[in-house]
Each structure stands twice: as C-alpha cells, then as structure tokens.
Amino acid sequence: MALIVQKFGGTSVGSIERIEQVAEKVQKFRENGDDIVVVVSAMSGETNRLIGLAKQISEQPVPRELDVMVSTGEQVTIALLAMALIKRGVPAVSYTGNQVRILTDSSFTKARILQIDDQRLRADLKAGRVVVVAGFQGVDEHGNITTLGRGGSDTTGVALAAALKADECQIYTDVDGVYTTDPRVVPKAQRLDKITFEEMLEMASLGSKVLQIRSVEFAGKYNVPLRVLHSFQEGPGTLITTDEEESMEQPIISGIAFNRDEAKLTIRGVPDNPGVAFKILGPISAANIEVDMIVQNIAHDNTTDFTFTVHRNDYLSAMRVLENTAREIGAREVIGDTDIAKVSIVGVGMRSHAGVASRMFEALAKEGINIQMISTSEIKVSVVIEEKYLELAVRALHTAFELDAPARQGE
Ligand code: ADP
Ligand code: ASP
Ligand code: MG
C-alpha cells in the first residue's frame, strides 16, 4: 500500500463534470488500497477573475487583502471534490491551508512554506479518509492567510508529499507530461520519459510554467519522487529524477524554455571607472528589483554601455531608478525596451559537448534573428531576442537540436 499525493490543476477541476471525473479517479486509487492526499487548484480562470476584481478597486491591491481573497478559489474546489468523493461512498474531508496548518512566512502573494503539521492528515489517513487540501495557500505565524505565488498548488503538493514522506507526488494537468518545449507553441514537441531535477529547475525558472519553480526546488531538496501526468488520459507521464544517465543516446539538450516576462534597460555613455556596475545596480537592488541578465560593452571614448533585464512588472520602477543614477553619474542616456523575449536551451548533456552555443547562434542566424544578449551556465544557454521572433526562434532551435517528433504517416 502506497501513500500518494495527487495534485490536480485548474483545468482538471474547471467544471463540475471534471470534478466528478477527478473523484472517480481518486476512488480507483483508493480501491487499489493506496492512501491518498489530494491537492487542488481553483477552477481554471478563477484566480485571474478574483485578481481582476481587486484591480477594479486598486491598481496595486494591498497584498494581505489580496491573499484573503484569492485563496477563496481553492476553498471552493476542495469542498466540491470532498462532496463528490463522499457521494461515491469514499470517506473524505477537506481542509484549507490554515486548517492543516501549512505555516509560511509573511511575504503575502509569494510566501514560502516553513513547516507543515502532518498530525491531522495522518489521523485522517489512518481512519481511512481521503484528505483534500487547498493548494496555493498557507497561514503565517500571526494567523494571516498567505498565498504561495502563481502556480503555487504544485508547491503545496510537493511540500505535503515531503512532510508525509509520500511514495510519490503526482502532478495531474492538461498535458501528459513535460515536453521538450511547450507543446502549445511547437506541435512537434515530444514528451520526455524522464528529466533531471536540475534540468527541470532550469526549465521552470527560464519560463516553462508546467511546474512552479519552488515545487521543483522542494522536490529536489527533500528527494520527493515527482511525476507529471495527464488528468484524464492514461500514460506514464514524465518522471523528475536525480538520475543522469550517461547513455550514448543522451540528447545534448533536453528542452527549450522561453518567457516574455522581461524588459531590457540600457544606460549609455557611462564614464568607465571601477565600481560602475555597483553604482548602476546598487540602487536597483536597493529598490528590491531583481536583475536577470547583464551585459557591459566598452566604447572607444572611455565610456561604457551597460544593459540589464528585469521583470516587466518592475520595468517602470527600474527606469525611474536608472534615470536618477544616470543624472548622478553623468551618463549620456537611458533607453528601455519591453518588446523582448528570452529563449533558453537546457540540458545536462551540454557538459560533455562543445559547440552547443554556436550551434544555437547558427540556427538563429539562419532565420535572420538578431541576438541582443547572451548568458550561459553549465547546463543552459539563454539569449534575448525581439519578442516578435520568439515562436520562430523556438521552432528553429527545436529542429536544429533534433528534438522534433518524427512525422506520423500522412503528415
Ligand atoms: P495546471 O493548471 O494544471 O497547473 P498549467 O497551465 O500551470 O496547468 O501547466 C500546464 C501547461 O504548461 C500546459 O498546458 C503547457 O501549455 C504549459 N507548458 C509550458 N512548457 C511546457 C513543457 N515544457 N512541457 C509541458 N507543458 C508545458
Ligand atoms: N490557483 C492558483 C493560480 O492560478 C494556484 C495554482 O493554480 O497552482 O495561480
Ligand atoms: Mg500550474
């Protein structure tokens, strides 16, 4: 008998019919003798709807109040699923994050889980009940409701699996696993049987939203066996593993991630003295703005141009800070660009292969796509390009690195 944590995402609980289907699925696992803890998201679109309501009151809603409101989405689905299970004769009970006591810090809208009390859950499991827990939410030490950031139900699932030492955490969603890239953008993307934690972490942090980054971090740290599966189609899904197979067939890159969430800022004609980078980025970090990619170019006239990217939500604040800095240090001008996208190739196979970056640049050059910034690490290469070429770039790279699925007959 196994203990399994099963997380169902928004589309999988997006209607009463779907919730009934999830209940049927959970019932089958119960009948097999497994102990089940289910984590659910809000019905698809609900979290966005709630945020939309808040924005009608204020462009920047008070984070504490926003969390009180957006956490209601999951409270509806846990109750509905528990009802659907009980209707089928499966004993079940639903809990909010507060009721379980999923203790988090007090960073409203992006809280981190600190501790989970497993007593109540264990008692229910022992009594033969399926426990249905609200994803995405917790409670801080003062009793305030917190939420874990968008996509945070994945993290609730993995954290519960870690706390309960579950045999597996299954993330059920609307695709049948992790693909070489988003299958909605590249129809020729292929499902991966396995991907390493390290690669999945890079893919998630570089923009593949199939798993929330923190859920992968958590699973890696606590060694939680994690699998991504389709909610309503049978199949093996994708296992996230620590295994790094050294087989001949190991692909050089495992996947391509991309995001449209960043914006680029450039400060030009900065007098080139020691400490320039600190003078520019110090005030940005003091304003609590995270910087991602950075490039510095030396010009002929003893000045330098300095470019970096930030999240698009931080673009306007970063611009204001940078304009101040430019005045203080006597820079020539500040320019910004929000029409950019970042495309990254990811794979542990890069460690043992030279020339991966140049193959990437060649594929982009063939399509006439200009690279604006580059950054590399041991297992990834990222480039910033003009946003309008994003899909073309992803498809070209998918083909260049031989990730395309073989054409089916008749295609
Ligand atoms: P859920 O509501 O179940 O949490 P999400 O929308 O958060 O579902 O995540 C699933 C979606 O992630 C898929 O529909 C797919 O479009 C997207 N996605 C992005 N990159 C990938 C990838 N590499 N593999 C699979 N899905 C991906
Ligand atoms: N409902 C939340 C969101 O839409 C959490 C989740 O779905 O994981 O972000
Ligand atoms: Mg999700």
Side-chain angles (χ1 to χ4, degrees):
M1 197 172 86
L3 168 56
I4 307 173
V5 175
Q6 303 185 321
K7 179 258 168 177
F8 290 88
T11 35
S12 315
V13 292
S15 65
I16 295 298
E17 293 71 39
R18 293 258 167 95
I19 290 176
E20 301 265 22
Q21 269 177 285
V22 169
E24 251 168 56
K25 186 169 183 114
V26 173
Q27 180 178 23
K28 285 203 188 112
F29 275 90
R30 270 307 286 149
E31 284 165 2
N32 261 344
D34 296 324
D35 278 341
I36 305 290
V37 173
V38 187
V39 172
V40 284
S41 294
M43 289 174 143
S44 56
E46 178 62 5
T47 309
N48 286 343
R49 187 186 73 84
L50 291 168
I51 294 173
L53 288 179
K55 293 228 158 141
Q56 288 179 40
I57 302 273
S58 152
E59 207 13 67
Q60 282 186 316
V62 182
R64 181 191 180 280
E65 305 312 322
L66 193 60
D67 277 358
V68 170
M69 187 186 54
V70 293
S71 61
T72 60
E74 274 73 8
Q75 192 166 338
V76 171
T77 45
I78 52 170
L80 289 172
L81 180 59
M83 290 174 201
L85 285 164
I86 293 164
K87 183 172 83 177
R88 288 174 168 73
V90 181
V93 58
S94 70
Y95 293 125
T96 63
N98 187 13
Q99 286 174 314
V100 174
R101 206 165 152 75
I102 297 180
L103 184 71
T104 71
D105 63 18
S106 304
S107 315
F108 298 109
T109 74
K110 46 176 187 283
R112 280 183 177 269
I113 296 178
L114 301 174
Q115 205 189 329
I116 293 184
D117 190 346
D118 64 352
Q119 280 182 11
R120 202 167 184 175
L121 306 187
R122 285 200 191 278
D124 282 309
L125 291 173
K126 206 165 166 212
R129 285 187 277 270
V130 170
V131 187
V132 186
V133 180
F136 177 55
Q137 55 178 262
V139 62
D140 75 0
E141 57 173 341
H142 309 293
N144 296 304
I145 296 173
T146 55
T147 65
L148 310 178
R150 299 306 306 269
S153 300
D154 297 335
T155 303
T156 307
V158 175
L160 282 173
L164 293 164
K165 300 189 178 58
D167 295 287
E168 189 163 274
C169 179
Q170 302 173 340
I171 305 285
Y172 288 99
T173 183
D174 56 4
V175 275
D176 63 348
V178 177
Y179 276 65
T180 45
T181 192
D182 189 338
R184 294 185 206 288
V185 171
V186 180
K188 286 182 183 159
Q190 300 192 66
R191 184 182 57 79
L192 300 163
D193 284 325
K194 281 187 191 178
I195 182 168
T196 67
F197 280 110
E198 211 184 350
E199 288 169 321
M200 193 62 237
L201 198 59
E202 285 286 1
M203 291 280 282
S205 58
L206 295 167
S208 298
K209 290 177 181 137
V210 59
L211 286 173
Q212 200 201 29
I213 306 168
R214 284 193 191 157
S215 71
V216 188
E217 272 170 11
F218 230 102
K221 188 163 164 198
Y222 295 98
N223 240 324
V224 177
L226 183 61
R227 195 182 286 276
V228 176
L229 301 131
H230 196 289
S231 297
F232 307 118
Q233 293 167 12
E234 291 301 316
T238 300
L239 182 68
I240 327 290
T241 142
T242 44
D243 244 21
E244 232 177 79
E245 266 172 60
E246 286 296 336
S247 80
M248 291 296 286
E249 281 107 277
Q250 187 187 33
I252 300 171
I253 77 159
S254 301
I256 301 172
F258 51 87
N259 81 48
R260 301 175 168 91
D261 301 337
E262 292 187 18
K264 187 177 79 166
L265 295 104
T266 302
I267 177 166
R268 297 177 66 182
V270 182
D272 191 16
N273 304 319
V276 160
F278 175 65
K279 275 192 201 136
I280 296 169
L281 295 182
I284 296 283
S285 107
N288 218 352
I289 297 171
E290 250 178 72
V291 169
D292 180 23
M293 290 166 91
I294 303 172
V295 170
Q296 183 178 348
N297 305 313
I298 308 294
H300 297 298
D301 54 358
N302 264 338
T303 66
T304 176
D305 293 349
F306 196 93
T307 304
F308 58 94
T309 62
V310 298
H311 196 281
R312 269 188 210 178
N313 293 344
D314 292 327
Y315 174 67
L316 289 177
S317 346
M319 194 53 136
R320 271 195 297 274
V321 174
L322 197 60
E323 277 167 350
N324 262 336
T325 309
R327 272 192 296 278
E328 275 167 25
I329 63 178
R332 197 180 323 126
E333 64 174 339
V334 171
I335 46 180
D337 185 356
T338 51
D339 297 328
I340 59 158
K342 183 164 83 171
V343 184
S344 311
I345 55 173
V346 174
V348 291
M350 265 183 225
R351 288 197 182 113
S352 47
H353 286 83
V356 177
S358 61
R359 191 157 155 197
M360 178 186 199
F361 305 154
E362 184 188 11
L364 295 173
K366 271 193 190 150
E367 299 295 337
I369 300 171
N370 188 35
I371 299 172
Q372 304 178 4
M373 298 173 88
I374 301 169
S375 94
T376 64
S377 81
E378 211 190 354
I379 65 161
K380 72 118 204 272
V381 183
S382 302
V383 296
V384 168
I385 58 170
E386 209 179 323
E387 185 178 1
K388 70 176 180 199
Y389 296 122
L390 176 61
E391 297 195 358
L392 176 63
V394 176
R395 289 203 187 107
L397 292 170
H398 203 266
T399 306
F401 284 96
E402 293 162 18
L403 296 174
D404 290 351
R408 276 175 298 227
Q409 274 196 332
E411 275 183 341

